[in-house]
Amino acid sequence: MKNKKCVAMLLAGGQGSRLGVLTSKIAKPAVPYGGKYRIIDFPLSNCTNSGIDTVGILTQYKPLELNDYVGSGKPWDLDRLDGGVHILPPYQGQEGGDWYKGTANAIYQNLEFIARYNPEYVLILSGDHIYKMDYSKMINQHIEDGADCTIAVLEVSMEEATRFGIMNTHEDGTIYEFEEKPANPKSNLASMGIYVFSWEKLRKYLIEDENNPDSSNDFGKNIIPNMLKDGQKLKVYRFNDYWKDVGTVDSLWEANLDLLNPKIDLNLSDSNWRIYSRTNGMPPQYISDTAKVENSLVTEGCEIYGNIDYSILFNNVTVEEGATVDYSLIMPGAVIKKGANVRYAIIAENAVIEENADIGGDPAVVGTDGWGITVIGAGLSVGKNAKVSANKMIVNDVKEGDEI
Amino acid sequence: MRTATVAGIVFANSNDKLLKRLTTHRSMASVPFGARYRLIDFSLSNLVNAGITNIGIITKEKYRSLMDHIESGVHWDLDRKNGGLRLLPPYSESGIKRYSGTVDALHGAKDYIKRCKADYIVLCAADILANVDISAVIKTHIKTEADITTVYHNGILPPNREDAMLFTLNTDNRITAIGFDGEVGAEHKYGIGITVIARELLLKLVDDAYDNDLPSFNRNVLARKVSSLKILGYEHSGFVTLMNGTDTYYKANMALLESDVRRQLFQKDRPIYTKIRDDMPTRYGTKAKVTNSLIADGCVINGTVKNSIIFRGVTVEKGAVVENSILMQETSVGIDTQLNNVIADKNAVIGDGMVLKGTDEKRFFIEKNEIV
C-alpha cells in the first residue's frame, strides 16, 4: 500500500435529530439535496476534486441508505486500486468494541485505518454542509505555516457569531483561544468543523484524550482546547465562498432554494469543480402542455402537468394537472396529485399528496408568527382534501379531509 | 443467477446511410436520440436488462464517437471481469478489410464469438428503437427448442427498409417463409433486428456462408434455412421504430412526447441506461415557458420551448422561441431567436435574433459545431 499525503475522515455518524422526520430512517449525509444530490456528495466531490483519493466515512446512525449510496465510490471517482472510499462503522476488537462516543473517539477508533496509509496529514470533515472547497489549498497553507492543526473558518456577522464555535486569533492567523457559542464574541471567525492535522500530532492527542475518562471525546470541546493549552501551533484557514449548514429543516430548505437565487454562486456542474452523485437509468423530464414551470430546478424522471414556481423537484417526481408547488422541495419519487397545493414545504421521498390536499402556509398570507416550513415524512400519504398548515412536521399518514 | 450462458452482439453501423446527415461522422449506434440517449443505448440496455453482460459491438467505421460514448461500459453496468463490453473493430487475417456485409462482420468477430463461453448469442441491430424483454425471448427459445428465434413486430412496413425480414408464420409461430421488399404502407410481420441463436450454430452458419461468399446473414442464410432449421418468430407488440430516414428519426423523437410511448420505452424494471454527465438539474428562469417538451438535465431555459426535444446542456435565452425542434447536446439559442422544425446537432451555436424555420417536409438542419 502506498503512503498517502493526506487521508480524509468524514464524520457521518450523527443522527441529525433537528431534521426530524427527514432523518428518522436515514443518516443526515444521505438526505437528498438540490434535485439529484445527497448532502454527502459535497465532501466526497470536494475530496476527489482536491486530489484526495483516500476517504474514510465514519457511520453509526442508520447507515444502510448511506452505505448503499456510497457503495464502492465509483460515482465520485473513489473506486481505486489503492485508497478509495471506505465505510467505517464501529467494530469489535479483541477486547470488545464500542459505539463512537464523540467525534474525537470516532477517529481514535480508526487510527489503525489511517495508519495503513501512513499519511503526513489527516483532513477531518463532516457530512453536514453544502459547499465547494479545494482542500489542497488548506493543506498547502498548513504545510507552509508549519502548523500542527489548521482549522477552516468562515467570517460571520457578530450577531451570528453567538451560534458558532469562534476562533480568536492573532493578526497572523494563529489561534490563541476557542470559544463555543460565546455570548460576547471576540472575533467573527466561525469554525467550519474542517480540520487539517499533522498525523503524528493528531495521533498523540487522540490517544491522550481517550485515556482521559472525563473527556467528552469531542474535537471542539477537548482536542482543540488541549492543543491550545499545550502551546501547539493552531492556525485558521479563511474560506470565503458559499457554505451552508443543513442541520435544521429551515436551513435545509434555504440551502436548496439558494440554488435558485441568481445572486448566489452555487454552480454544481461547473466543469472545474463538478459535484458528482449516483444516479442512472431515468428518462428525461417531461413538461406537459398544461404545465407552467418558472424559477425552478427540475430533473430526470419528472412528469410535470401542474404549476411549479420557485421550487426544486427531485428525481421521478410527478405533479399532476391543476396541482401547484411553490417555494417547496419535492424529494425523489413523491407525487402531487390533481388540484393539490403545496407551498413552503418539504415533501420527503415517495410521499403522496392526494387530490386537492393543501400543504403549508405562505408567510405573507398566514403571518410570520409561529410560521415555519411544513415537512411531510418519507413514504407518507396526505389524504384527499386534507389540510396541513405551516410549521408542521408530519410523521404519520393524514386521513382524507383531516386538518392539521 | 448464472447468466453467462448468453452473449450479445450489436451491429453498430446498421443502415448508417439512412440517416445521412446525422451519420456523417458517427455510426448509427451513436446517433443522439431522445434528449439524452444514443440509439445503441436501447440495444445495450435491452441486453443488460436480460442479464446479458458479455456484449460485443461490431463496428465498421466512424466509431470514435461510439468509443467515446461507451468507455468501459460502466454506465450499463458492463465494467465486468466476467464478460463485459467490447468494441469489435474491423479485423481480418488478410490485412484490414472493412466489413461489406453481415456475414463478413460476423466472420470477422469469430474470435470473440468463439471465446465468449456462451451457449447462445443474441444478435441486435442498433437502428431499432424498442424496449424488448429479451430474457422472455430467450426463455421461449430454450423452451421451444428452436434453432433460431427472431423478434418481429406486426405493423405497417415503412419505406427504405428493403432489408427488413418479412415473416410468414404458422400457428406454432414457426417461420415458414422469409421475404423482403414487401409493400410499403401495408401490414407485415417484420423483423426488428433481434435474433437468438446457439453459438455453435451461429459459427457453423457463418463459416459456411463466408466460404460461399454470401454477403447477408438475414437474406442469404436465414431466409434459406426456414425448412432445414426450426426458426420461430417472437412477437413484440410494444412500441417500436425502425429508423429509415430523417423524417422517421424526427417523428420517433417527437413520439416521446406521448406518455404512452414513454411508458413503453422507459420501464422502471427495464430502464434505458446511458453515459452520465453529472449535470445539474435543469434550471427554468422567470420568463421560461415550456410546454409539451422533453428536457434533459443541465439546461438553462429562459425562453419559450414548445413541442420539442431538448438534450443536455442546452441554453435557451430570453425571448427565444423554440418549437417543434430537436436541439442536441450543448446547443445554444440566442436572445429573441425563433426556431421551428429545426434539428440542431451537438454544440450548435445559434446567435441572437435569428429566425430559422423548417417545414414538415424539410426540416432545417444545423450541423454539429456549426455557428449560425
Side-chain angles (χ1 to χ4, degrees):
Chain A
M1 225 167 310
K2 281 195 277 207
N3 284 357
K4 298 285 176 180
K5 179 158 168 204
C6 180
V7 169
M9 297 294 270
L10 211 169
L11 297 161
Q15 185 180 343
S17 51
R18 288 173 301 163
L19 284 174
V21 71
L22 293 173
T23 49
S24 61
K25 298 204 178 76
I26 59 175
K28 180 154 64 157
V31 169
Y33 172 85
K36 59 176 278 196
Y37 306 95
R38 302 211 186 214
I39 294 170
I40 201 170
D41 290 327
F42 289 84
L44 286 182
S45 303
N46 287 339
C47 279
T48 194
N49 291 334
S50 301
I52 296 169
D53 65 11
T54 306
V55 183
I57 302 181
L58 286 77
T59 59
Q60 179 152 266
Y61 173 79
K62 300 231 173 152
L64 294 183
E65 182 88 17
L66 190 62
N67 294 352
D68 232 10
Y69 184 69
V70 172
S72 67
K74 210 163 196 129
W76 306 270
D77 246 5
L78 290 170
D79 181 6
R80 306 292 186 100
L81 274 184
D82 185 21
V85 74
H86 301 261
I87 303 273
L88 303 169
Y91 60 93
Q92 291 279 341
Q94 278 179 309
E95 281 141 44
D98 226 339
W99 295 109
Y100 294 144
K101 295 183 282 182
T103 53
N105 172 260
I107 307 292
Y108 168 81
Q109 290 201 44
N110 287 287
L111 286 177
E112 257 182 69
F113 166 78
I114 301 174
R116 285 156 71 85
Y117 297 98
N118 198 20
E120 292 171 67
Y121 309 101
V122 180
L123 173 69
I124 310 286
L125 301 169
S126 69
D128 297 348
H129 303 100
I130 302 298
Y131 65 113
K132 296 194 293 179
M133 181 170 167
D134 186 347
Y135 303 130
S136 70
K137 292 194 178 136
M138 182 178 173
I139 295 167
N140 287 338
Q141 187 198 284
H142 177 88
I143 297 171
E144 272 166 37
D145 288 345
D148 299 306
C149 172
T150 301
I151 305 180
V153 293
L154 193 74
E155 270 185 53
V156 298
S157 68
M158 276 309 197
E159 299 88 49
E160 285 186 303
T162 54
R163 300 192 291 120
F164 288 95
I166 298 295
M167 300 293 155
N168 299 328
T169 63
H170 297 305
E171 265 202 37
D172 67 350
T174 309
I175 302 170
Y176 66 83
E177 195 182 16
F178 166 60
E179 293 187 295
E180 182 72 48
K181 298 194 175 64
N184 298 305
K186 293 181 200 143
S187 117
N188 66 345
L189 297 178
S191 167
M192 294 164 68
I194 300 173
Y195 313 99
V196 174
F197 286 92
S198 300
W199 168 226
E200 291 307 327
K201 283 284 153 78
L202 176 66
R203 189 178 6 207
K204 172 176 180 306
Y205 277 88
L206 285 179
I207 293 173
E208 275 174 21
D209 185 72
E210 184 65 18
N211 292 329
N212 176 2
D214 297 323
S215 169
S216 32
N217 306 122
D218 181 88
F219 274 103
K221 294 196 183 93
N222 306 106
I223 305 296
I224 304 300
N226 290 346
M227 287 179 87
L228 280 172
K229 227 181 330 155
D230 285 352
Q232 297 294 315
K233 191 168 182 191
L234 276 69
K235 299 209 81 166
V236 291
Y237 172 80
R238 284 166 184 267
F239 179 74
N240 296 317
D241 295 322
Y242 181 89
W243 181 79
K244 188 101 180 195
D245 178 277
V246 284
T248 64
V249 167
D250 282 355
S251 61
L252 176 70
W253 178 82
E254 279 166 22
N256 271 278
L257 294 195
D258 278 348
L259 289 168
L260 304 174
N261 186 339
K263 298 204 192 96
I264 294 183
D265 176 23
L266 192 56
N267 178 7
L268 306 179
S269 53
D270 174 4
S271 53
N272 293 322
W273 206 269
R274 238 184 238 284
I275 302 299
Y276 303 103
S277 68
R278 182 190 290 280
T279 56
N280 200 349
M282 288 171 291
Q285 58 197 263
Y286 174 71
I287 313 292
S288 90
D289 46 12
T290 56
K292 194 160 145 200
V293 183
E294 289 169 338
N295 304 312
S296 297
L297 290 186
V298 183
T299 190
E300 284 161 6
C302 285
E303 293 254 329
I304 310 300
Y305 296 83
N307 291 10
I308 318 289
D309 192 9
Y310 219 90
S311 293
I312 307 214
L313 269 53
F314 289 58
N315 294 111
N316 294 321
V317 159
T318 303
V319 177
E320 291 183 359
E321 204 176 327
T324 64
V325 176
D326 297 90
Y327 288 86
S328 296
L329 311 179
I330 315 294
M331 292 192 169
V335 179
I336 315 295
K337 293 208 176 160
K338 282 193 173 64
N341 297 304
V342 176
R343 66 193 77 74
Y344 294 89
I346 298 177
I347 311 295
E349 272 180 270
N350 300 315
V352 178
I353 310 301
E354 296 285 356
E355 286 175 32
N356 300 311
D358 194 279
I359 313 285
D362 182 341
V365 171
V366 304
T368 48
D369 242 3
W371 175 86
I373 302 296
T374 300
V375 181
I376 308 293
L380 298 180
S381 100
V382 176
K384 288 192 193 154
N385 301 304
K387 197 163 146 52
V388 181
S389 58
N391 203 22
K392 295 286 186 304
M393 181 161 300
I394 302 300
V395 304
N396 287 309
D397 287 344
V398 177
K399 291 215 254 303
E400 244 185 74
D402 269 6
E403 282 198 24
I404 303 197
Chain B
M1 243 179 45
R2 240 199 122 227
T3 52
T5 50
V6 188
I9 289 183
V10 182
F11 293 93
N13 295 92
S14 6
N15 290 309
D16 279 5
K17 59 186 182 338
L18 290 176
L19 284 189
K20 290 187 272 262
R21 298 181 84 163
L22 290 168
T23 55
T24 322
H25 300 294
R26 49 165 89 93
S27 56
M28 173 69 80
S30 294
V31 170
F33 181 85
R36 66 186 294 256
Y37 304 100
R38 304 238 185 198
L39 284 179
I40 200 174
D41 291 331
F42 292 85
S43 299
L44 287 182
S45 302
N46 286 337
L47 291 168
V48 165
N49 290 330
I52 298 167
T53 55
N54 194 346
I55 301 175
I57 304 177
I58 293 184
T59 62
K60 184 162 83 173
E61 56 194 359
K62 298 176 289 177
Y63 45 88
R64 269 257 288 270
S65 166
L66 184 60
M67 282 171 69
D68 189 53
H69 180 64
I70 69 171
E71 291 179 330
S72 65
V74 67
H75 302 288
W76 301 267
D77 207 14
L78 292 171
D79 187 5
R80 305 289 185 104
K81 280 200 170 172
N82 217 340
L85 189 59
R86 246 163 225 79
L87 207 66
L88 306 170
Y91 173 86
S92 163
E93 288 96 10
S94 50
I96 305 296
K97 177 171 120 179
R98 292 236 206 96
Y99 302 127
S100 46
T102 42
V103 169
D104 236 4
L106 286 166
H107 189 261
K110 252 181 71 174
D111 236 7
Y112 170 78
I113 301 174
K114 280 209 279 225
R115 276 189 287 125
C116 73
K117 291 194 203 142
D119 299 322
Y120 303 97
I121 305 276
V122 180
L123 303 172
C124 289
D127 59 343
I128 313 290
L129 188 69
N131 189 324
V132 180
D133 185 353
I134 293 185
S135 69
V137 181
I138 296 168
K139 270 203 192 79
T140 308
H141 176 83
I142 296 174
K143 189 156 146 220
T144 57
E145 294 179 338
D147 291 312
I148 297 175
T149 302
T150 189
V151 185
Y152 70 90
H153 180 74
N154 196 353
I156 308 292
L157 182 69
N160 298 325
R161 293 302 305 241
E162 302 81 26
D163 65 314
M165 291 192 284
L166 306 172
F167 302 127
T168 311
L169 282 80
N170 69 13
T171 44
D172 292 321
N173 289 323
R174 176 145 181 198
I175 293 175
T176 53
I178 298 179
F180 298 86
D181 299 319
E183 191 192 330
V184 171
E187 200 172 275
H188 292 276
K189 294 182 169 65
Y190 57 82
I192 63 168
I194 299 175
T195 301
V196 182
I197 180 172
R199 188 174 65 104
E200 292 302 329
L201 177 60
L202 177 64
L203 285 169
K204 177 174 177 305
L205 291 175
V206 168
D207 271 336
D208 282 348
Y210 185 78
D211 290 337
N212 288 303
D213 272 324
L214 300 173
S216 163
F217 189 74
N218 289 346
R219 206 183 268 268
N220 305 124
V221 179
L222 286 192
R224 298 184 188 169
K225 297 270 183 198
V226 290
S227 318
S228 51
L229 292 177
K230 185 174 171 190
I231 305 183
L232 295 193
Y234 182 101
E235 187 178 5
H236 169 78
S237 49
F239 177 83
V240 61
T241 300
L242 253 57
M243 286 303 152
N244 73 329
T246 311
D247 190 55
T248 301
Y249 168 81
Y250 177 90
K251 292 209 168 78
N253 272 283
M254 292 305 171
L256 296 177
L257 299 176
E258 288 164 55
S259 63
D260 194 48
V261 172
R262 284 196 303 283
R263 227 191 327 266
Q264 291 182 63
L265 274 185
F266 306 122
Q267 304 199 20
K268 280 219 159 65
D269 54 351
R270 294 202 308 269
I272 304 297
Y273 300 101
T274 189
K275 179 172 168 182
I276 297 195
R277 270 183 21 143
D278 291 297
D279 288 292
M280 234 179 112
T282 282
R283 181 192 296 273
Y284 295 86
T286 314
K287 294 277 171 19
K289 262 209 211 40
V290 180
T291 49
N292 194 34
S293 295
L294 198 68
I295 317 272
D297 270 10
C299 294
V300 179
I301 312 281
N302 283 305
T304 301
V305 177
K306 197 167 148 184
N307 307 332
S308 294
I309 308 288
I310 308 294
F311 282 64
R312 292 180 276 201
V314 167
T315 48
V316 176
E317 298 290 354
K318 272 204 194 83
V321 178
V322 176
E323 285 178 284
N324 308 314
S325 296
I326 299 176
L327 302 183
M328 294 190 201
Q329 208 163 284
E330 297 293 331
T331 299
S332 63
V333 181
I335 300 172
D336 292 333
T337 287
Q338 294 177 44
L339 302 180
N340 197 335
N341 271 306
V342 170
I343 300 177
D345 207 329
K346 281 171 75 173
N347 305 319
V349 176
I350 305 159
D352 299 340
M354 313 277 324
V355 177
L356 303 174
K357 297 202 171 160
T359 59
D360 252 348
E361 280 82 55
K362 194 167 162 61
R363 295 184 174 101
F364 196 104
F365 194 92
I366 303 178
E367 304 280 346
K368 184 170 163 182
N369 298 322
E370 194 176 326
I371 300 181
V372 183

